[in-house]
Amino acid sequence: MLKQHRELSMSIRRTIENNEEAGIRPSKTYQSFVAAAGGHRELNFIEKDVRNYITREVRNVSEQEDAKEFGKYFLRMKEKNPNFFFELELEEDQSIKLAFWADARSRAAFEYFRDVISFDTTYNTNRYNLVCGSFVGVNHHGQSTLLGCSLMKNEEIESFKWLFQCWLRCMGGNTPKGFLTDQCASMKRALEACMPTTVHRWCIWHIMKKIPSKLNGYKGHADIEQEMSQVVWNSHSKDSFDRNWNDFLLNFGLADKKWLSDLYEDRHIWVPIYLDHHCWAGMRSTQRSESMHSFFNKYITRNSSLIQFVKQYDNCLGSREQAERELDAADFHTVIPCATKSSIEAQFQDAYTHAKFREVQAQFRGKANCITRLRNSALGYSVYEVGEQVFSSIFNKFVVTYDSVAAEKVKRRHTHIKSSHDEPLMEPRSKRFDQLVFRSQNICEFASESEELTAILHRAYDNVMAEMESLKAKRKGTSSLSHEDANLESVNELQSPPRIRTRGRPKNRLGSKLEKQIANATKKKKTKVLSEINLFDAASAVHSISSQYQGHVMNYQFRVPAAGDNSLGV
């Protein structure tokens, strides 16, 4: 338990670093060490040592270095795949104002899943109060797929304009058919300017969630909330919604309520009956974006650095990619049986993914409650009248227009592209350690099959250890490094000389041995002149060579905003 006896071995440190990158809490990491060792008493360190190592070594990124590492991360990703996209907007003092990036896989996925995009912002993801925004689409399994990420200093109109224009450049100028956001005036105006042909939809969940706070002062506000929900969700035509809305306002005396008046003026961007004739991939809210943010919030806090944030974003990309690959494999190897003898259902079974086919089967079950009659057909369009039986004698009537199009098999290019993931910046010794551990695991697994094989490995370990100790003893002392055998790894291993702590105030300049002899001779007022041989001896004892090397250092002129900067727009 004494501090001088507690230490973290290389193996322990590498496990801590890997677990931290994976988002595993320090307490869980420590408990895994306890379980592996067979109890707390078998460890020569405590949980506090694990936490201190994470704080001082793993997460210890200064604000000055954080922005530079953030920029270097983008350059490394661009070098690994030229299709990696990023843009930064900087303040006059070179601090980050706006940032956007998307990896090559996200850009390729957009080609197939660009019909509908959900965009939402969240806070408390980094130490600089930069607002995180994520672009999310829906893939062929109905899963959320990331299509770009951003950090913004504020939520003003110009910031959203810059971001949306940047995102469009990243995606080849192709605008989505639909775009879901929260009820935000700045986003609305920015989208009108950047994507005038895209249908903008407000998240209905956020609007309905505001009803209690907006109408709480009215008598019977619970009845008001229930009636408003009925009007919004159960109006099957625009005319019926208008009538039901006016009746709702009159019945509860809410005609002068400005919040409701403003909602009615904007009904075309949030009421389902005004929007459901467009394709929305099953989305009516931004909850897909929020689910991504909830993933981030598990592993990052308001004190996280920028480089920590992008690493966790990488992890999120990787988890989404893996989830898609697993369902792709399930679709390839398994088949969901048809529920009917219908050749139409069999066609969908062959062409659709499992997730989408299950939705088709739900429609087939619901078809039993519908009576359909063809009204007319021309130029590839067919118009049907459909009556859906809701209760024993109640039918909802609809007019359905069908547009027949040629069937086409889809081959998705993005599935062959890996999501971006930064390689950890490890010291050369850590890299060598990981390589040795990886090879040792295979050897140990093979040797553990029998006592004889285990004994052979133990003898080999003893021989190798003796050989390495002998070589280390021979090389103990000084070593050299020349231009002939120097490389980046060897240079990275160079260490500064030991720091010499002096007492009192040091002199401005350290004199040579000859200068000290002359100074002493003058101070003692000796009249004897040093002979030539004495001067020669004194001079020969000093052999100083001074040289100055002007190297070129890559300096990324990025600087993060001040930690206390709270200049967020509304």
Side-chain angles (χ1 to χ4, degrees):
M1 299 298 290
L2 296 177
K3 189 174 182 179
Q4 58 267 31
H5 293 292
R6 302 202 309 263
E7 63 177 355
L8 302 177
S9 66
M10 174 65 75
S11 175
I12 295 296
R13 294 199 300 271
R14 291 296 299 127
T15 303
I16 294 173
E17 291 165 6
N18 291 333
N19 287 1
E20 174 67 12
E21 185 175 351
I24 299 175
R25 296 178 180 178
S27 59
K28 297 293 184 182
T29 297
Y30 179 71
Q31 288 302 321
S32 71
F33 292 141
V34 173
H40 291 270
R41 290 179 176 271
E42 305 304 320
L43 293 177
N44 58 345
F45 59 91
I46 60 178
E47 184 175 342
K48 184 179 179 181
D49 297 325
V50 175
R51 294 183 179 276
N52 287 343
Y53 182 75
I54 293 173
T55 302
R56 295 171 184 171
E57 303 296 333
V58 182
R59 297 179 182 172
N60 187 23
V61 180
S62 67
E63 294 178 9
Q64 292 75 18
E65 293 298 319
D66 194 14
K68 293 180 181 179
E69 291 300 322
F70 188 61
K72 291 176 183 178
Y73 161 83
F74 289 145
L75 295 178
R76 288 195 300 272
M77 294 298 99
K78 186 73 174 178
E79 185 177 358
K80 290 177 69 174
N81 193 321
N83 286 328
F84 184 90
F85 182 98
F86 74 94
E87 282 191 17
L88 300 174
E89 178 82 353
L90 307 178
E91 299 280 17
E92 291 183 0
D93 62 354
Q94 299 298 296
S95 64
I96 296 173
K97 180 181 180 181
L98 298 162
F100 169 79
W101 66 98
D103 73 330
R105 192 176 194 275
S106 297
R107 299 180 74 184
F110 179 77
E111 296 179 18
Y112 307 99
F113 312 128
R114 68 188 188 194
D115 288 341
V116 186
I117 303 299
S118 171
F119 177 80
D120 191 40
T121 56
T122 187
Y123 304 89
N124 300 328
T125 61
N126 56 82
R127 64 179 67 160
Y128 314 107
N129 290 326
L130 295 175
V131 183
C132 169
S134 59
F135 296 84
V136 178
V138 181
N139 70 6
H140 51 301
H141 299 293
Q143 298 171 311
S144 298
T145 181
L146 283 163
L147 300 174
C149 188
S150 64
L151 291 172
M152 301 183 292
K153 196 172 183 179
N154 56 55
E155 293 185 281
E156 297 174 357
I157 297 175
E158 293 304 316
S159 295
F160 283 120
K161 281 185 179 180
W162 180 92
L163 176 59
F164 294 152
Q165 289 169 354
C166 183
W167 183 72
L168 287 175
R169 286 194 299 274
C170 172
M171 301 305 175
N174 298 308
T175 58
K177 296 177 181 178
F179 205 94
L180 280 105
T181 70
D182 193 4
Q183 186 183 7
C184 173
S186 298
M187 286 189 206
K188 182 174 181 289
R189 293 182 61 181
L191 279 171
E192 289 171 351
C194 300
M195 305 180 213
T197 61
T198 297
V199 180
H200 181 201
R201 183 171 192 162
W202 277 345
C203 172
I204 192 171
W205 182 81
H206 280 103
I207 292 175
M208 303 304 288
K209 187 181 178 182
K210 294 177 182 178
I211 296 176
S213 61
K214 295 291 184 179
L215 304 178
N216 193 30
Y218 286 81
K219 185 179 179 180
H221 62 84
D223 295 334
I224 294 175
E225 181 178 352
Q226 183 178 0
E227 182 64 23
M228 182 175 170
S229 296
Q230 287 288 332
V231 172
V232 170
W233 291 110
N234 295 326
S235 296
H236 298 298
S237 68
K238 296 177 183 178
D239 291 338
S240 66
F241 173 80
D242 292 340
R243 290 194 303 270
N244 294 338
W245 184 268
N246 288 329
D247 293 342
F248 160 68
L249 295 180
L250 291 174
N251 291 339
F252 290 95
L254 299 172
D256 59 344
K257 184 66 176 176
K258 187 178 185 305
W259 180 68
L260 293 173
S261 300
D262 291 342
L263 281 181
Y264 183 75
E265 289 297 320
D266 292 322
R267 61 191 181 280
H268 61 286
I269 59 175
W270 70 277
V271 177
I273 194 58
Y274 284 86
L275 294 159
D276 283 350
H277 60 287
H278 297 287
C279 171
W280 293 102
M283 291 193 292
R284 286 175 172 171
S285 73
T286 58
Q287 287 181 328
R288 287 183 180 270
S289 298
E290 292 171 11
S291 66
M292 294 296 179
H293 295 157
S294 66
F295 177 91
F296 294 151
N297 293 333
K298 289 179 183 178
Y299 307 112
I300 55 180
T301 67
R302 64 174 68 235
N303 297 317
S304 297
S305 63
L306 295 178
I307 197 64
Q308 282 179 278
F309 178 86
V310 293
K311 284 183 177 180
Q312 292 305 329
Y313 182 77
D314 279 353
N315 289 340
C316 191
L317 284 175
S319 68
R320 293 291 88 202
E321 178 189 1
Q322 179 63 17
E324 183 177 321
R325 289 175 66 246
E326 289 174 2
L327 289 185
D328 281 343
D331 284 355
F332 185 79
H333 294 290
T334 61
V335 176
I336 296 179
C338 290
T340 69
K341 300 296 183 180
S342 169
S343 60
I344 299 176
E345 185 185 7
Q347 181 183 356
F348 281 117
Q349 180 196 44
D350 178 63
Y352 274 23
T353 61
H354 288 358
K356 292 293 131 181
F357 180 55
R358 289 191 182 97
E359 294 179 13
V360 170
Q361 289 189 317
Q363 295 295 317
F364 264 85
R365 290 191 294 270
K367 180 176 175 290
N369 300 321
C370 295
I371 300 173
T372 306
R373 183 172 67 89
L374 178 63
R375 178 186 289 180
N376 57 66
S377 178
L379 300 175
Y381 286 89
S382 301
V383 180
Y384 296 86
E385 287 183 353
V386 180
E388 181 185 18
Q389 186 175 10
V390 182
F391 297 106
S392 58
S393 59
I394 300 177
F395 285 80
N396 288 331
K397 294 183 179 181
F398 303 91
V399 176
V400 179
T401 303
Y402 169 67
D403 179 11
S404 59
V405 294
E408 181 182 355
K409 291 286 185 177
V410 178
K411 296 179 181 178
R412 302 176 183 88
R413 183 171 61 89
H414 80 282
T415 57
H416 304 290
I417 304 175
K418 291 183 178 180
S419 61
S420 69
H421 198 280
D422 194 17
E423 295 180 357
L425 300 177
M426 297 187 296
E427 293 296 325
R429 184 181 180 187
S430 297
K431 291 182 179 179
R432 293 194 295 267
F433 177 83
D434 286 355
Q435 292 168 355
L436 290 170
V437 168
F438 180 77
R439 294 199 65 184
S440 299
Q441 288 174 345
N442 296 330
I443 297 173
C444 293
E445 183 177 354
F446 183 79
S448 62
E449 292 180 1
S450 68
E451 291 291 343
E452 292 80 6
L453 293 175
T454 302
I456 292 173
L457 183 58
H458 278 308
R459 288 195 297 271
Y461 276 152
D462 292 339
N463 294 334
V464 170
M465 195 67 186
E467 184 179 352
M468 289 190 299
E469 288 176 346
S470 175
L471 179 62
K472 189 175 181 180
K474 291 179 181 178
R475 291 187 174 182
K476 190 174 183 180
T478 61
S479 61
S480 61
L481 183 67
S482 69
H483 68 90
E484 295 176 347
D485 56 3
N487 53 39
L488 181 60
E489 179 177 325
S490 60
V491 171
N492 284 335
E493 290 186 312
L494 291 176
Q495 302 292 327
S496 299
R499 181 178 176 181
I500 305 299
R501 299 186 180 276
T502 59
R503 294 182 180 179
R505 181 176 178 270
K507 296 182 179 179
N508 293 334
R509 181 174 178 271
L510 296 177
S512 66
K513 187 176 180 180
L514 176 60
E515 290 173 330
K516 292 178 181 178
Q517 287 183 351
I518 295 175
N520 290 333
T522 305
K523 185 177 180 180
K524 296 177 180 180
K525 297 181 180 179
K526 291 184 177 180
T527 56
K528 184 178 180 180
V529 180
L530 292 173
S531 64
E532 286 186 14
I533 188 65
N534 288 339
L535 285 172
F536 177 80
D537 290 340
S540 62
V542 180
H543 181 70
S544 91
I545 299 175
S546 63
S547 63
Q548 189 173 11
Y549 171 70
Q550 297 291 339
H552 296 281
V553 179
M554 186 176 290
N555 184 21
Y556 295 90
Q557 296 299 318
F558 304 139
R559 192 184 68 79
V560 294
D565 190 353
N566 295 316
S567 57
L568 291 176
V570 179

